[in-house]
Amino acid sequence: MNHPARVRPPVVTETGTTSHWGAFRVRSHAGGALEVVPHPADPAPSPLLGNVVSALRHPARVAAPAVRRSWLEHGPGPRPRSADEEFVEIGWDTALDLVAGELDRVRAGHGNEAIFGGSYGWASAGRFHHAQSQLHRFLNTLGGFTSSRGSYSIGASLVLLPHVVGDAEAVLRRASTWPTIHAETELVVAFGGMPEKNVQVTSGGVTRHNTLGHLRALRARVALVSPNRADLPDGVPADWYPVLPGTDVALMLGLAHTLLAEGLHDQAFLDRYTTGLDTFARYLRGHDADWAAGVCGIPAGDIRDLARRMARSRTLVTVTWSLQRAEYGEQPVWAGLALAAMLGQIGLPGGGFGHGYGSMGDVGDTGPAGRLPYLPQGRNPVGTFIPVARIADMLLCPGESYDYNGSVLKYPDIRLVYWAGGNPFHHHQDLNRLRRAFTRPDTVVVHEPFWTATARHADIVLPATLPLERDDIGGGRRDTHLIAMRRATGPYGQARDDYAILAGLAERLGVLREFTEGRTTREWLEHLYETWRTGDQPSFARFWAAGELELPPGPQHETLFADFRADPVANPLPTPSGRIEIFSRTVAGFGYDDCPGHPVWREPAEWRNLPRYPLRLIANQPATRLHSQLDVGAVSRAAKVAGREPIELHPGDARARGIRAGDVVRVFNDRGACLAGAVLTEALRPGVVRLATGAWYDPDGDLCRHGNPNVLTADRPASRLSQGCAGHHALVEVERWHGDPPPVRVLTPPPLVRCAP
Ligand SMILES: Nc1nc2c(c(=O)[nH]1)N[C@H]1C(S)=C(S)[C@@H](COP(=O)(O)OP(=O)(O)OC[C@H]3O[C@@H](n4cnc5c(=O)[nH]c(N)nc54)[C@H](O)[C@@H]3O)O[C@H]1N2
Ligand SMILES: Nc1nc2c(c(=O)[nH]1)N[C@H]1C(S)=C(S)[C@@H](COP(=O)(O)OP(=O)(O)OC[C@H]3O[C@@H](n4cnc5c(=O)[nH]c(N)nc54)[C@H](O)[C@@H]3O)O[C@H]1N2
Ligand SMILES: [Mo]
């Protein structure tokens, strides 16, 4: 049969922009249709580009300012905040009056500390319209807010690394580069693997996705330590060590024990560059390869062989960020570092320690490491903060004390929660508990482009634009270009830029001048660019007309801690000893049983649920989107199974439960349950299931109809040291769902009383 030829209307305009998954171009066709095409310089454009246009005008967009019916009728105060309640659309003037009035009431009656403006989340790329930066700047002009510290990504590492190597930034931002690894490394021991799905993403985006090519071109042999074979690209020479989730530390101890027992450690390096091996070595006595095998599921012979190979090769020990997003998450980072130190190769090209290869696209990348233009946020006069993942504890337990990094902090009494650019009902653990926590404040204000679960749990929802609907400047760390993000289309419905929303509030609260400094968006872009550029770089007008600016390349060959190795006296680490602290007197002095002074194995508390919930769930980053962003987009939707988020199971585990590929299943434990769609794969270790994060939470009682794994994870910190997010693992059971599953309801807005057009 002949198909009628599809004739594309001619391209009218083409604009450039960028995203956390990379720079791209937007073509407008006659008639208004938009098309996304990759940036011409990008060797590996991200498949996530396919979510952009399909989500842009999706009916799940927030079209107008909306207020929860019960809040509108009864005013501020604790309330159930059901996700099914009706919202009433109101005009912008009324909405801004309500929010400004609430900010005023709360700060006058309870002080600025009662405003929680942490507002964690990735928002969109773009240096000016970064929602969280805008909100922080705005709240600072009002006298400040309770903030949050650290990240969900690396909450444990950010607190641990300063104690043990002095500078978290060095490890996280100046990793040994891929070209050096290609040239020098013989063996990569990759705890958590190096999954290619993750390297398409960097905060702020990159124009050239080089990391994927580096990863696929790896010639060094890789010891892939992961319950999931898919955590390394096919074709990379590898041996698979299918460790049980949460047990990498046991394996590391077994390796370290073998090095010591067989005299394979580098005593000269340890003497000169580290402190505390003796204490660690005493602890290792009870933790040999046989012991490790019993915990981590890797045979003792394989552990000993791997230790010997590590000692005779140029070896890079790398730990993904996922490993520290778990109970006792500090330990795999600290133990991995200790293991690398025992090999004596830290600071040698191609050897040593890495953290986050395969977690983020910019780790090991060779792009420029200079600063980008940024929006000044002012100063927050309120000193109160929480470690970011303690949000539910804060709302549920005002006034209670807790430990954090050697101090005792107290939770403030929050009356108003303000969120712009994040989705806590995606990112936080134990969502049924978070729902209870969100009943406590008087008012919840959210700026969102979409009716996400966070918007549905708010009182006042203000519709925000997406990057294609506004002008901005974009770029990421290690990006080769600075991108002029030129508006490609008008805003959806009545959506406004976060900046415009906050300027409207600032005007009502008498701080317009402080907040805007009298600048329009375009004037801000010019100001940020002009105060950033060097004399030999083009003016803003030329940059904007050209659409992008190529930045000078970064060094190809860099080795983490090379200076320290070259001269530890002239270049000591900023630790108390000036050295790598395998034992930290400071951490030991805190007296935390869940994070003592050297790396230790601790059995996760979650394991008490074995064997009632025999399957070990990995809730990792999704391949088909960034977190929960654009979950209504075409690429994310195409991966759903029967409309639910896919859960991967080993065929044996599925068979034992009568589950076939494509079935809707119920995944459950004591905290809650979700539906998901079964996908069978031999790539997983038996007994392990994988359900990625980010399906928009769709609550029906304790059940999420759509497949958000955070109904299953525990709201338990990594330890008292970091209070970091530990949401990566949970124990669950999976069963076939019989009959028709309840429909997913997140693709349409909540019940809305529409205002007259
Ligand atoms: N179980 C488990 N949970 C996890 C993790 C895990 O491994 N396991 N990983 C954690 C990690 S590492 C992270 S970083 C977090 C991520 O958690 P988040 O960063 O909160 O997730 P996002 O989906 O990126 O949320 C960003 C939100 O901002 C909105 N947005 C986009 N652009 C704009 C804008 O211009 N203005 C406004 N107002 N809004 C905008 C998007 O629609 C989206 O809802 O999740 C964490 N949660
Ligand atoms: N496509 C895509 N890429 C992303 C993101 C996204 O949302 N989508 N998010 C970005 C963000 S904000 C961050 S912070 C990074 C996160 O980077 P990571 O936290 O490193 O990424 P994850 O995919 O969550 O986990 C990496 C791998 O660790 C393995 N793993 C899980 N548990 C264990 C364990 O106990 N032991 C071992 N050895 N392996 C285990 C999993 O199989 C998983 O695939 O990813 C970034 N990249
Ligand atoms: Mo993250």
Side-chain angles (χ1 to χ4, degrees):
M1 202 178 104
N2 280 332
H3 294 279
R6 278 185 59 217
V7 183
R8 274 238 170 247
V11 175
V12 179
T13 56
E14 182 168 304
T15 56
T17 189
T18 194
S19 66
H20 296 307
W21 48 94
F24 60 97
R25 300 278 165 88
V26 184
R27 288 185 184 154
S28 305
H29 295 272
L34 296 181
E35 182 191 8
V36 158
V37 292
H39 190 285
D42 192 348
S46 163
L48 301 190
L49 291 179
N51 282 329
V52 174
V53 171
S54 42
L56 190 65
R57 294 290 180 260
H58 194 279
R61 286 287 305 262
V62 184
V67 182
R68 174 179 296 279
R69 156 86 63 198
S70 59
W71 195 96
L72 197 60
E73 288 174 357
H74 306 293
R79 50 169 40 83
R81 294 197 169 83
S82 139
D84 299 322
E85 199 182 323
E86 189 172 76
F87 279 80
V88 181
E89 291 187 345
I90 53 172
W92 270 111
D93 281 344
T94 318
L96 293 173
D97 287 347
L98 287 177
V99 176
E102 257 313 90
L103 285 164
D104 234 5
R105 181 189 72 83
V106 170
R107 95 184 145 138
H110 307 278
N112 281 68
E113 192 193 64
I115 300 171
F116 181 65
S119 187
Y120 181 80
W122 268 57
S124 288
R127 303 297 299 170
F128 177 66
H129 290 293
H130 183 244
Q132 193 187 68
S133 307
Q134 288 283 353
L135 178 63
H136 290 172
R137 178 181 165 84
F138 165 72
L139 291 175
N140 283 341
T141 65
L142 281 189
F145 61 98
T146 291
S147 61
S148 59
R149 192 173 283 183
S151 69
Y152 277 73
S153 314
I154 41 176
S157 292
L158 285 174
V159 177
L160 175 75
L161 287 171
H163 292 298
V164 299
V165 293
D167 181 2
E169 287 294 297
V171 174
L172 297 166
R173 308 268 180 263
R174 296 197 294 279
S176 301
T177 50
W178 284 107
T180 304
I181 294 170
H182 284 172
E184 306 287 347
T185 309
E186 293 165 326
L187 174 65
V188 183
V189 183
F191 292 94
M194 294 185 283
E196 59 181 333
K197 71 180 172 60
N198 285 0
V199 302
Q200 56 190 317
V201 167
T202 64
S203 175
V206 289
T207 305
R208 295 197 179 103
H209 283 95
N210 291 325
T211 302
L212 188 60
H214 288 313
L215 194 52
R216 288 186 179 155
L218 205 59
R219 280 169 317 201
R221 200 153 183 94
V222 178
L224 166 64
V225 182
S226 171
N228 188 356
R229 178 65 187 82
D231 280 335
L232 197 67
D234 289 337
V236 173
D239 304 293
W240 183 24
Y241 297 84
V243 70
L244 272 170
T247 66
D248 297 74
V249 171
L251 174 55
M252 290 166 177
L253 296 179
L255 292 166
H257 183 281
T258 305
L259 293 179
L260 273 185
E262 302 188 4
L264 300 172
H265 60 295
D266 185 339
Q267 192 65 51
F269 179 89
L270 290 162
D271 288 344
R272 187 153 185 231
Y273 297 97
T274 73
T275 155
L277 181 80
D278 293 355
T279 317
F280 185 50
R282 272 196 299 281
Y283 174 77
L284 281 177
R285 272 182 213 143
H287 299 89
D288 64 4
D290 294 301
W291 166 85
V295 178
C296 72
I298 305 296
D302 292 357
I303 298 175
R304 292 198 172 92
D305 284 348
L306 179 58
R308 291 171 197 138
R309 270 208 291 149
M310 290 167 77
R312 64 170 183 262
S313 315
R314 180 57 58 88
T315 300
L316 177 68
V317 175
T318 174
V319 177
T320 49
W321 295 352
S322 55
L323 264 62
Q324 52 85 63
R325 207 173 302 116
E327 284 185 70
Y328 314 111
E330 297 82 1
Q331 302 311 320
V333 181
W334 204 349
L337 180 72
L339 187 58
M342 290 170 74
L343 295 171
Q345 301 182 20
I346 290 178
L348 286 183
F353 180 69
H355 189 27
Y357 291 99
S359 294
M360 200 73 82
D362 51 10
V363 177
D365 201 0
T366 53
R371 255 169 41 122
L372 295 161
Y374 76 100
L375 178 70
Q377 294 181 18
R379 207 182 65 82
N380 184 354
V382 174
T384 312
F385 72 92
I386 55 164
V388 67
R390 299 278 54 82
I391 168 81
D393 287 357
M394 173 184 71
L395 296 177
L396 289 167
C397 316
E400 255 183 43
S401 314
Y402 63 101
D403 291 309
Y404 171 69
N405 199 17
S407 44
V408 177
L409 304 179
K410 211 165 94 176
Y411 290 119
D413 187 0
I414 297 300
R415 300 305 175 102
L416 188 151
V417 171
Y418 205 131
W419 226 291
N423 189 358
F425 282 87
H426 140 67
H427 68 229
H428 195 57
Q429 286 55 66
D430 198 347
L431 291 178
N432 288 311
R433 182 169 189 259
L434 187 70
R435 270 202 301 174
R436 289 197 295 283
F438 263 67
T439 65
R440 296 296 181 91
D442 293 345
T443 299
V444 178
V445 182
V446 167
H447 299 188
E448 251 297 338
F450 294 94
W451 280 107
T452 62
T454 297
R456 289 168 200 253
H457 285 89
D459 298 311
I460 304 177
V461 180
L462 303 178
T465 52
L466 284 168
L468 264 52
E469 300 165 342
R470 61 199 184 210
D471 287 335
D472 208 339
I473 299 175
R477 280 190 307 268
R478 305 282 179 179
D479 198 352
T480 51
H481 296 64
L482 188 71
I483 303 286
M485 299 170 66
R486 286 190 304 214
R487 168 179 155 134
T489 185
Y492 180 79
Q494 300 177 30
R496 292 187 182 174
D497 300 347
D498 293 289
Y499 177 59
I501 299 172
L502 297 169
L505 293 173
E507 187 174 9
R508 283 164 172 77
L509 292 162
V511 292
L512 183 63
R513 187 79 212 172
E514 290 89 322
F515 178 63
T516 66
E517 294 179 25
R519 293 191 188 95
T520 62
T521 293
R522 187 59 79 92
E523 287 163 351
W524 266 110
L525 300 184
E526 177 157 7
H527 172 73
L528 298 184
Y529 178 90
E530 288 294 341
T531 49
W532 164 84
R533 78 171 167 114
T534 55
D536 53 348
Q537 283 170 328
S539 68
F540 178 76
R542 279 174 52 214
F543 158 69
W544 195 255
E548 61 190 36
L549 171 68
E550 187 148 4
L551 302 170
Q556 289 295 297
H557 289 282
E558 266 187 317
T559 297
L560 176 64
F561 297 133
D563 293 350
F564 168 62
R565 184 179 187 108
D567 190 341
V569 178
N571 311 309
L573 298 183
T575 54
S577 61
R579 299 170 174 201
I580 295 168
E581 304 220 337
I582 296 174
F583 172 83
S584 161
R585 199 176 295 283
T586 313
V587 174
F590 297 155
Y592 301 147
D593 52 349
D594 54 4
C595 188
H598 58 79
V600 291
W601 161 251
R602 290 279 186 273
E603 188 173 284
E606 181 76 356
W607 289 15
R608 283 184 230 123
N609 282 324
L610 278 169
R612 232 160 17 111
Y613 298 111
L615 296 173
R616 294 161 197 261
L617 169 71
I618 290 176
N620 68 345
Q621 314 301 316
T624 56
R625 58 185 175 262
L626 172 65
H627 314 133
S628 70
Q629 292 197 31
L630 312 186
D631 187 25
V632 294
V635 173
S636 186
R637 296 310 309 165
K640 306 272 172 179
V641 175
R644 326 284 150 160
E645 189 65 16
I647 183 169
E648 291 179 351
L649 302 108
H650 190 274
D653 292 321
R655 209 175 310 118
R657 291 165 176 79
I659 295 167
R660 286 160 315 184
D663 282 349
V664 172
V665 296
R666 180 173 164 268
V667 192
F668 62 99
N669 61 20
D670 291 341
R671 291 172 208 112
C674 66
L675 301 185
V679 171
L680 309 191
T681 172
E682 306 259 354
L684 286 176
R685 183 192 166 101
V688 175
V689 297
R690 183 180 88 92
L691 176 60
T693 58
W696 284 4
Y697 174 51
D698 187 14
D700 177 6
D702 282 355
L703 175 82
C704 167
R705 290 171 281 226
H706 191 196
N708 189 311
N710 275 326
V711 291
L712 304 161
T713 53
D715 189 2
R716 207 185 269 139
S719 79
R720 289 150 77 197
L721 182 82
S722 69
Q723 297 285 353
C725 165
H728 207 76
H729 297 144
L731 294 181
V732 299
E733 183 52 286
V734 180
E735 64 183 17
R736 233 184 98 201
W737 180 271
H738 295 280
D740 287 339
V744 171
R745 302 209 298 203
V746 292
L747 302 180
T748 50
L752 271 178
V753 179
R754 300 263 179 190
C755 54

